[in-house]
Amino acid sequence: TWIRQGFVENLPVNSSKYWLQKTSDDRFVLAFNPTSRLRFPLAVATSSDGAQVAGVKLEAGRAEIWISDVRRGTATRLMHTGVSAAPVWSADGRTVYFANRTRGAFEIWARDADGSSSPVRLFAADRRHALPLAASPDGRLLAFLQTADATRADIWVLPLDGGSPKPMVQTVFDEGAATFSPDSSMLAFQSAQSGRWEIYVQRIVDGGPIVVSTGGGERPVWTRDGLFYQSAGAIRRATVRVASDGLVVDSLTEVPLTEADRRGLQSGAT
């Protein structure tokens, strides 16, 4: 369950504050700036232990990714060239995946969070944008968004130990905001297939998606406490499991929030 929220000062995006939520395992699972034009998930991401935040800073018309240490109050720039967006942390907190472009389409890059190594380009598609969405907890896969004329915004997965990317969710509708289950066997994402954003889940290895949300849903985040997502000014929690006949949603509940929490969600809604 959600146990507390708070503002963290001096984070990199637009010198403004961030709204952070934690679960009972004491990990940040949602962070966004309600007043920023750069909305979750393209602007800010927290490491799995909540100690570091990767954020996009707009300066002189150019977007850069900086990494802030929440406890120490320090900040380090991740890349010095091009325009950067969509930071995503590896499960061990050592690597940040991000999108960058110097000209043309966004490409997927990676760099050690401490800046000890040079940035490495992982994937580029000819004239199509590619932006990281989520890294699997087992460290094997990176889910990313790729644009296409016919299928709009699709979700692909890139093997991080080598190999070619493959489409995971590819329809004529927009998809995005992916998150892996804690055991890395399932992927939750939002899709506009129904005419509004809803939350879906599907297995990584086989099978089609099932719908989880019942009244709209955005910004899914999967933790050991369950699958959380935002819906109509509220946070909802679902539990999903693999059964013999496919995926099953065991429960769907609303997470109790304070009035301040609700105001934050409403001001951050797109």
Side-chain angles (χ1 to χ4, degrees), residues 59-79:
E59 189 169 301
R62 188 164 68 92
E64 301 174 333
I65 292 178
W66 288 68
I67 297 177
S68 292
D69 189 301
V70 173
R71 298 185 178 99
R72 295 170 57 199
T74 59
T76 304
R77 183 160 48 187
L78 193 65
M79 194 164 182

Side-chain angles (χ1 to χ4, degrees), residues 154-175:
D154 304 312
I155 297 175
W156 290 57
V157 291
L158 175 69
L160 292 173
D161 57 357
S164 301
K166 65 176 183 178
M168 179 62 58
V169 187
Q170 191 173 43
T171 72
V172 296
F173 305 98
D174 284 326
E175 289 90 26

Side-chain angles (χ1 to χ4, degrees), residues 145-225:
L145 181 148
Q146 181 170 277
T147 60
D149 291 337
T151 57
R152 306 177 64 134
D154 304 312
I155 297 175
W156 290 57
V157 291
L158 175 69
L160 292 173
D161 57 357
S164 301
K166 65 176 183 178
M168 179 62 58
V169 187
Q170 191 173 43
T171 72
V172 296
F173 305 98
D174 284 326
E175 289 90 26
T179 180
F180 287 91
S181 61
D183 65 359
S184 302
S185 68
M186 294 176 282
L187 187 76
F189 58 93
Q190 67 184 54
S191 172
Q193 179 176 345
S194 68
R196 66 181 178 186
W197 290 119
E198 297 281 4
I199 303 301
Y200 295 79
V201 171
Q202 74 176 55
R203 294 185 64 186
I204 299 297
V205 294
D206 56 33
I210 64 166
V211 63
V212 174
S213 56
T214 58
E218 299 179 64
R219 302 168 180 168
V221 180
W222 215 328
T223 77
R224 291 176 300 190
D225 287 339

Side-chain angles (χ1 to χ4, degrees), residues 90-141:
S90 63
D92 60 13
R94 297 178 180 177
T95 304
V96 178
Y97 306 101
F98 60 98
N100 181 269
R101 68 172 178 179
T102 54
R103 59 183 181 275
F106 277 104
E107 305 166 342
I108 296 178
W109 289 69
R111 190 177 188 186
D112 290 343
D114 61 7
S116 60
S117 65
S118 299
V120 176
R121 188 173 68 175
L122 300 182
F123 176 76
D126 185 29
R127 297 187 298 276
R128 289 176 291 172
H129 294 298
L131 300 98
L133 293 174
S136 63
D138 62 8
R140 296 179 56 246
L141 297 172

